[in-house]
Amino acid sequence: MKKQKLVILGGGESGVGTALLGKAKGYDVFVSDKGKIKENYKEVLIHNEIEWEDEQHSESKILDADVVMKSPGIPDKVALVKQIREKGIPVVSEIEFASKFTNATVVGITGSNGKTTTASLTHHILKQELNVGLAGNIGDSFAKQILEEDFDNYVLEISSFQLDDIKDFKPKIAVITNITPDHLDRYDYKFENYIASKFKIAMNQTKEDYLIYDADDEVITNHLKNNPVQSTLLPFSLTKTIENGAYLKNDNIIITIEKSQIIMPTSNLTLEGKHNVKNAMASSTVAHLLKIRKQTIRESLENFQGVEHRLEEVLKINKVKYINDSKATNVNATYFALESMDAPTVWIVGGVDKGNNYQELFRFVNEKVKAIICLGVDNKKLFEAFGNMVDIIVETEFMSEAVKIAYKVAESGDNVLLSPACASFDLFENYEDRGRQFKNAVRNL
């Protein structure tokens, strides 16, 4: 029998992981990347005798595929992707491809914000009692873990781009943390297209499966009203009383699932801020569903260390706190960051704007921000939005300079917050690079 041809577009973590799994499962694999493939990934491909190319796409080879796995970073608008689809060749995401080769219980977590923290926290709780992997948008690829570890359970952080190319993928437990406008450039600037993409996480679920979601999020609740899903619903809320799901009462999280109830105090949560109470609710609900003991859940919530580049305290210098929130790549994430500031704040913001509307930040900027440092190639929109609100607004294209200006402006008791509300690709490789440069600049003060 002739081997099926698997073509992989993009030679990054998900691409190389899929290539390894595909080869192990008997596919004829070809990896093609329009950019340069990083040396460490090239070595893996060469070592495993997988055919690859970079800085080009050989169309004849690609259009000969039986199935194409495209990296989540490649938009559908690309001419080559259109050609592949016109030929009727199925295009899938890594999550879709890999899920066919495991019988594990899958927890899929998506949302505009909070998904990395919620996925990391969920994994942190579950690993105390279960054999569980953490993959998706985070760590080693899902495909590679299925090949090398094959855990009994997986927590997957899944972006809307990864959900776009899903056909049969069905998590046992799906979580939607929240939905706010983000990445609209990839969805024809239509918010409803982005919402529909997030809800694909529940598209194949049945009533035997669960959907955990934020009941305070009107975008989610309205979409569910008009587009009901099959899943068993477990909402969480800070304001409403929830019969099946989780809610907050007298600083306790109360979780009820099919008459079984657990109560968790929030007083000792290591993560601060209202949004983190929600992340804790979502993670605890997953853990309760998977029969983790209450004591384990409580201890795990109290000793979880948080995620790098997400409201991460770097140093205190002259009684000024420096906080790295480089992972805030949209306005809503920055909203949570500014909301949790309890001192006058020097705010470093900017980068590649994804169609941002800064209005929801006005209240916090008026209340808490004393100076704004714009760190991007084009800062016009930031000046228009905030120019009249603060006494000091300056721009720079260098992290080291931004931190030096912040150091001069900040006084004892203030915060310096890097929370860009934008993507990082104009001046940095990615948000991790941006966060690391910030931390290095602070340490070099």
Side-chain angles (χ1 to χ4, degrees):
M1 202 176 131
K2 197 164 136 296
K3 281 187 171 184
Q4 277 221 312
K5 281 198 173 132
L6 167 65
V7 167
I8 292 165
L9 298 182
E13 180 61 40
S14 63
V16 173
T18 305
L20 295 171
L21 181 63
K23 184 174 185 215
K25 298 295 177 188
Y27 287 81
D28 182 3
V29 181
F30 176 57
V31 177
S32 175
D33 197 315
K34 194 138 199 198
K36 252 186 125 43
I37 296 179
K38 285 187 180 161
E39 282 309 313
N40 54 330
Y41 289 133
K42 265 186 202 171
E43 282 165 20
V44 172
L45 293 170
I46 293 163
H47 177 73
N48 287 280
E49 297 178 354
I50 291 167
E51 199 186 341
W52 60 275
E53 62 177 2
D54 64 356
E55 300 186 70
Q56 60 175 348
H57 282 319
S58 309
E59 283 188 14
S60 57
K61 275 188 128 153
I62 292 167
L63 295 172
D64 191 31
D66 294 301
V67 59
V68 170
M69 193 297 283
K70 87 171 170 60
S71 145
I74 302 170
D76 271 343
K77 300 182 181 76
V78 173
L80 179 63
V81 177
K82 285 186 174 158
Q83 276 177 282
I84 294 167
R85 290 196 192 277
E86 275 158 21
K87 274 202 73 177
I89 301 166
V91 177
V92 298
S93 63
E94 177 220 350
I95 301 292
E96 174 72 25
F97 180 81
S99 63
K100 295 195 177 355
F101 300 104
T102 179
N103 296 316
T105 299
V106 172
V107 179
I109 298 174
T110 195
S112 306
N113 289 303
K115 56 181 180 289
T116 306
T117 300
T118 303
S120 305
L121 178 54
T122 304
H123 178 251
H124 174 69
I125 301 170
L126 298 183
K127 74 171 194 246
Q128 313 301 327
E129 294 183 16
L130 298 173
N131 166 263
V132 58
L134 177 63
N137 236 2
I138 199 171
D140 289 339
S141 74
F142 184 35
K144 184 174 165 205
Q145 289 190 35
I146 287 173
L147 179 63
E148 293 179 355
E149 310 271 351
D150 203 15
F151 291 101
D152 301 329
N153 305 273
Y154 285 96
V155 176
L156 302 182
E157 179 197 326
I158 313 177
S159 70
S160 54
F161 301 164
Q162 287 165 312
L163 289 169
D164 285 337
D165 298 309
I166 270 172
K167 315 263 184 298
D168 306 310
F169 171 72
K170 174 174 93 85
K172 178 76 190 157
I173 303 172
V175 178
I176 303 180
T177 56
N178 52 42
I179 301 181
T180 57
D182 192 8
H183 302 297
L184 294 188
D185 46 346
R186 277 278 287 261
Y187 294 99
D188 302 325
Y189 293 95
K190 293 194 180 101
F191 188 29
E192 62 272 23
N193 295 359
Y194 173 67
I195 298 168
S197 162
K198 289 287 187 200
F199 268 93
K200 280 190 159 176
I201 198 162
M203 142 178 120
N204 298 310
Q205 285 192 314
T206 66
K207 64 176 186 303
E208 315 290 300
D209 305 310
Y210 297 91
L211 174 61
I212 297 168
Y213 65 93
D214 182 351
D216 303 335
D217 187 315
E218 285 177 10
V219 174
I220 297 179
T221 51
N222 289 339
H223 187 86
L224 278 172
K225 254 183 227 138
N226 304 321
N227 309 273
V229 294
Q230 299 297 308
S231 340
T232 295
L233 299 180
L234 292 171
F236 57 86
S237 169
L238 295 180
T239 55
K240 308 176 183 69
T241 301
I242 304 274
E243 274 181 36
N244 252 327
Y247 70 100
L248 192 64
K249 186 182 176 185
N250 306 336
D251 291 333
N252 286 315
I253 296 173
I254 298 170
I255 304 174
T256 318
I257 300 171
E258 289 156 10
K259 309 266 187 295
S260 152
Q261 194 173 72
I262 60 172
I263 297 175
M264 320 286 304
T266 57
S267 47
N268 295 337
L269 289 184
T270 39
L271 299 178
E272 289 170 25
K274 288 182 198 150
H275 58 294
N276 278 319
V277 174
K278 291 189 169 189
N279 296 337
M281 283 178 169
S283 302
S284 307
T285 305
V286 173
H288 189 31
L289 267 177
L290 294 175
K291 308 276 190 281
I292 301 294
R293 292 192 321 241
K294 183 169 76 177
Q295 189 60 24
T296 304
I297 300 175
R298 184 175 296 171
E299 285 167 8
S300 304
L301 291 176
E302 289 173 3
N303 61 28
F304 177 64
Q305 285 310 310
V307 175
E308 194 185 4
H309 311 298
R310 169 63 86 217
L311 285 175
E312 174 194 10
E313 286 191 20
V314 184
L315 276 182
K316 235 183 183 165
I317 303 172
N318 301 342
K319 296 193 175 152
V320 174
K321 205 190 280 180
Y322 290 80
I323 302 161
N324 167 26
D325 193 42
S326 180
K327 203 169 188 309
T329 55
N330 56 37
V331 170
N332 189 248
T334 293
Y335 176 96
F336 293 136
L338 289 171
E339 182 185 47
S340 68
M341 291 298 112
D342 50 8
T345 298
V346 177
W347 175 33
I348 304 173
V349 55
V352 182
D353 181 307
K354 296 180 274 192
N356 286 351
N357 173 5
Y358 291 108
Q359 216 166 332
E360 60 182 276
L361 302 179
F362 288 177
R363 180 173 67 133
F364 295 132
V365 172
N366 277 322
E367 272 173 40
K368 306 182 179 198
V369 173
K370 61 187 280 184
I372 291 178
I373 299 166
C374 304
L375 180 65
V377 171
D378 177 9
N379 302 308
K380 192 165 103 252
K381 215 167 136 182
L382 292 169
F383 271 81
E384 282 167 8
F386 302 114
N388 301 330
M389 284 188 200
V390 289
D391 296 335
I392 304 171
I393 181 165
V394 292
E395 52 183 334
T396 171
E397 289 191 11
F398 301 100
M399 183 61 84
S400 54
E401 193 189 359
V403 169
K404 277 184 189 132
I405 297 166
Y407 176 75
K408 284 198 184 99
V409 176
E411 298 164 298
S412 175
D414 289 356
N415 293 330
V416 171
L417 171 69
L418 167 71
S419 188
C422 298
S424 52
F425 307 120
D426 55 347
L427 298 174
F428 306 96
E429 269 186 52
N430 47 35
Y431 77 79
E432 290 97 337
D433 172 42
R434 175 168 67 189
R436 278 195 283 271
Q437 286 198 29
F438 174 74
K439 293 199 280 190
N440 288 339
V442 170
R443 288 175 188 136
N444 287 330
L445 280 171

